[in-house]
Amino acid sequence: MHSGQKLLSYMTLIESSSPSPAGCIKEDMNGKRLSGIEAFEEVMHAYIHPRLAHIEGRAIEDLYAALAQEDYEAVFRIDRSLRTRTCPNEIDTEMRRCGRKLLKLARSLYPWMSFAPLADAMQSEKAFGCPAVFYAWINFQLEIECGEAVPVYLYHHTNAYVEHCSRLLNLDEVTRRKLLMRMIDDISERWSLARLSDAPSFGSEAAYDIPIQKTL
């Protein structure tokens, strides 16, 4: 199977197993019902894209590095860091349930892969099994380069948010495509900036101590 097809198969798995629907934005920055494209773009610029690029994208890079060294303790530390930096504390149970579902689906889709270290850590509640962790774990074993895997992850989620917005606001096809192009350009720029950032890596204790970030 071509690497692009492998990536698409797994992104479909991730989307179907997310603790909340991928791309689901229903409110603007003031907590009011999303009423227009401008409000949607504001949320994407202020919260979604910074989180995707600076937190999840960087984490996937660090996960690749940890997996290359078979440093599973670093993998689990990154997993816990992702959990605390991307989700409110009150959904711990839901996040663990999502992780177990992802594990089951990943084993079904890739029966020849080894998930034992991650499965054991989740069983002992040492890890949550965040979607980005499974994404890196699987794509690393598929021998897909990190430089290819991260952009696909970012673009897929950006597209999911735009598709949701398009349905919610009943956008025509031309408007939807223009919006998607703007959002792809933005997440690409965000990722370029994130890669140049001197923020501590997720594998470090300093990164683990950073609290949940809503904006960057």
Side-chain angles (χ1 to χ4, degrees), residues 14 78 94 102 141 160 184 187 197 204:
I14 286 228
I78 293 168
E94 187 177 3
L102 275 173
Q141 293 191 67
I184 291 296
I187 192 61
S197 172
S204 70

Side-chain angles (χ1 to χ4, degrees), residues 20-197:
S20 59
C24 185
I25 297 178
K26 296 182 179 180
E27 297 179 346
D28 61 21
M29 295 296 290
N30 297 315
K32 297 181 181 179
R33 186 180 185 279
L34 195 68
S35 59
I37 292 177
E38 294 78 8
F40 169 79
E41 291 192 63
E42 186 178 13
V43 175
M44 293 292 285
H45 288 310
Y47 174 42
I48 302 299
H49 280 172
R51 189 202 74 207
L52 284 173
H54 292 268
I55 298 180
E56 296 185 58
R58 288 289 303 276
I60 291 171
E61 281 195 327
D62 289 336
L63 284 161
Y64 260 73
L67 288 167
Q69 298 295 321
E70 297 186 1
D71 186 352
Y72 297 121
E73 290 303 316
V75 170
F76 306 149
R77 184 163 61 247
I78 293 168
D79 179 73
R80 295 192 300 272
S81 181
L82 278 169
R83 163 66 192 84
T84 58
R85 296 178 70 186
T86 60
C87 300
N89 291 333
E90 57 267 20
I91 69 166
D92 261 9
T93 300
E94 187 177 3
M95 284 296 295
R96 293 193 185 281
R97 186 182 301 117
C98 168
R100 289 192 294 270
K101 184 177 180 182
L102 275 173
L103 176 61
K104 181 178 179 180
L105 289 173
R107 281 173 163 166
S108 175
L109 187 58
Y110 304 102
W112 49 270
M113 283 190 182
S114 171
F115 294 96
L118 183 55
D120 291 344
M122 290 169 60
Q123 178 65 31
S124 63
E125 298 193 350
K126 192 175 184 179
F128 286 87
C130 292
V133 174
F134 272 101
Y135 180 80
W137 190 284
I138 288 173
N139 283 288
F140 180 82
Q141 293 191 67
L142 290 175
E143 299 184 348
I144 294 171
E145 294 293 330
C146 185
E148 178 185 0
V150 176
V152 169
Y153 184 91
L154 301 179
Y155 298 158
H156 177 88
H157 282 284
T158 293
N159 181 70
Y161 281 105
V162 171
E163 288 299 320
H164 171 79
C165 173
S166 179
R167 292 191 297 271
L168 187 67
L169 301 178
N170 195 28
L171 303 181
D172 61 73
E173 182 61 17
V174 172
T175 302
R176 184 196 68 81
R177 288 189 179 186
K178 288 182 177 179
L179 175 61
L180 179 60
M181 289 176 64
R182 291 197 299 275
M183 293 296 95
I184 291 296
D185 286 344
D186 185 68
I187 192 61
S188 297
E189 183 178 353
R190 294 277 187 177
W191 179 232
S192 295
L193 292 173
R195 299 197 73 185
L196 296 173
S197 172

